[in-house]
Amino acid sequence: MKRRTFIQLAAAGAATALHAPLAYAQATQKIKVGYLHTLAVDGQLWLAESMGLWKKAGLDPEFIQFQTGLELFQSMSGGSIDVLSTGAVMSNFPARGQGKVFLINDVEFATAQLWVHPDMGVNSLADLKGKKISTTTGTTAHVFLDKALRANGIDPKKDVQIVNQRMQDATSAFISKAVPAVALWVPFNIAVRDRVPSARMLVDASKYYPDTAIVGGWAARNDYYDKNKDALKRIIQAWVQANDHMVAHPDESLELLQKKYYPNVPLSDIKEQYKAQKMFDSRAWAKLYADGTVTKWLQQVTDFFVDFASIPNAVPAAQYFDPKLYLDIVKA
């Protein structure tokens, strides 16, 4: 499908995506947006950019890339960015009173994966006892690893040694066989699969869905949330149209995203990443917001961070997550 035709179809369907009309600003509002460059986090963001939806919503975003969600929240807490899009860490810092969650991108259904070296004596989760596992602590991969170990009777604090590294380094350590296992997130699995044919993916996060669902999405700096709810609603309005078009037309959307924003990633790998996440259209999300499901999912991951990081007086998800902004745009 030609790009012009694709965008025309998107515009034609936009009117039916929302229950509320787009709010056009009198003057374009600048906004600094931090993000991670992985499809589960920035897919809707870049599709909205390509379709001109940010401009249509009266926003002039400056997109700033980060390597981890931890760095994102640190930057936002310091005032360098206004809002961010990230993964599981969105259940961490807001629980510390740093940031308000207002929009969910997807469920990281199978984006987190546990890979092992059978030739280093690991063929099952039980074989991990006493072994080293590399990952980036405090991230989606770590949350998943914790759930997987506990589900199989392994104490993450006593029975294994978790090695905290940046994901690039954790993956390299596994590939070089410095460690027998790595908990990673896509697309780092591709390097492992291609460079170590003998490696085996033991389990991914889909095994524990929905009881341990991990969601990613958007959060705003506290003071920005308090003073700029109109801008946050306009983010939601643009996101909804991009999200619904991606759900309805995944092949065209992924082809566009790959060509324009992921030129160094093969289309087949982009499609693999897409299958690893679970997306819903805007109305389905509205129901999950309204019935408390999203709040429950966020709280599950917050409970992990409370235990792992010993967060004192943690703010519950019911307080740091605001579903009302979304439900003002899309009715359940």
Side-chain angles (χ1 to χ4, degrees), residues 124-142:
S124 67
L125 278 157
D127 294 334
L128 287 170
K129 285 190 174 182
K131 300 290 198 305
K132 291 181 178 180
I133 308 171
S134 284
T135 193
T136 306
T137 58
T139 65
T140 297
H142 185 204

Side-chain angles (χ1 to χ4, degrees), residues 231-279:
L232 300 182
K233 286 185 178 181
R234 282 185 272 146
I235 289 174
I236 294 169
Q237 289 167 331
W239 180 95
V240 161
Q241 294 175 83
N243 177 78
D244 284 5
H245 201 84
M246 187 183 293
V247 171
H249 305 282
D251 290 338
E252 294 90 341
S253 299
L254 295 175
E255 183 177 350
L256 186 151
L257 288 168
Q258 188 272 332
K259 286 182 178 179
K260 195 167 184 179
Y261 303 104
Y262 288 86
N264 298 321
V265 182
L267 181 58
S268 59
D269 290 347
I270 291 293
K271 290 184 175 180
E272 182 177 330
Q273 291 183 47
Y274 179 77
K275 290 179 181 178
Q277 62 192 80
K278 184 177 285 293
M279 298 177 66

Side-chain angles (χ1 to χ4, degrees), residues 31-38 41-42 45-46 54 61-69 71-76 79-87 89 102 105 217-221 235:
I31 183 171
K32 292 185 177 181
V33 181
Y35 70 97
L36 305 181
H37 194 35
T38 181
V41 171
D42 67 358
L45 180 155
W46 292 124
W54 300 121
E62 177 187 351
F63 298 113
I64 305 169
Q65 183 180 340
F66 291 80
Q67 297 303 311
T68 69
E71 294 167 353
L72 271 169
F73 269 100
Q74 289 168 355
S75 181
M76 189 171 76
S80 298
I81 56 176
D82 303 313
V83 300
L84 59 79
S85 182
T86 189
V89 75
F102 66 94
N105 282 326
W218 294 63
R221 200 175 65 240
I235 289 174

Side-chain angles (χ1 to χ4, degrees), residues 136-294:
T136 306
T137 58
T139 65
T140 297
H142 185 204
V143 175
F144 150 72
L145 174 63
D146 186 88
K147 300 293 185 184
L149 293 173
R150 292 181 188 277
N152 287 272
I154 300 173
D155 189 329
K157 297 180 179 179
K158 298 178 180 179
D159 297 335
V160 297
Q161 182 181 346
I162 296 177
V163 181
N164 179 30
Q165 298 175 289
R166 290 171 66 90
M167 191 51 69
Q168 294 92 330
D169 298 330
T171 305
S172 296
F174 179 75
I175 289 172
S176 67
K177 294 191 174 181
V179 293
V182 62
L184 50 74
W185 61 76
V186 297
F188 288 96
N189 62 313
I190 295 169
V192 171
R193 183 192 64 199
D194 293 346
R195 294 177 62 183
V196 192
S198 62
R200 176 189 170 200
M201 188 188 77
L202 207 56
V203 66
D204 63 41
S206 65
K207 172 77 172 178
Y208 309 104
Y209 177 84
D211 292 336
T212 57
I214 301 170
V215 295
W218 294 63
R221 200 175 65 240
N222 288 342
D223 61 330
Y224 194 88
Y225 165 85
D226 290 338
K227 299 174 183 177
N228 295 274
K229 290 188 175 63
D230 177 68
L232 300 182
K233 286 185 178 181
R234 282 185 272 146
I235 289 174
I236 294 169
Q237 289 167 331
W239 180 95
V240 161
Q241 294 175 83
N243 177 78
D244 284 5
H245 201 84
M246 187 183 293
V247 171
H249 305 282
D251 290 338
E252 294 90 341
S253 299
L254 295 175
E255 183 177 350
L256 186 151
L257 288 168
Q258 188 272 332
K259 286 182 178 179
K260 195 167 184 179
Y261 303 104
Y262 288 86
N264 298 321
V265 182
L267 181 58
S268 59
D269 290 347
I270 291 293
K271 290 184 175 180
E272 182 177 330
Q273 291 183 47
Y274 179 77
K275 290 179 181 178
Q277 62 192 80
K278 184 177 285 293
M279 298 177 66
F280 303 100
D281 66 30
S282 60
R283 290 183 176 85
W285 273 121
K287 293 178 182 177
L288 294 170
Y289 279 55
D291 68 9
T293 297
V294 170

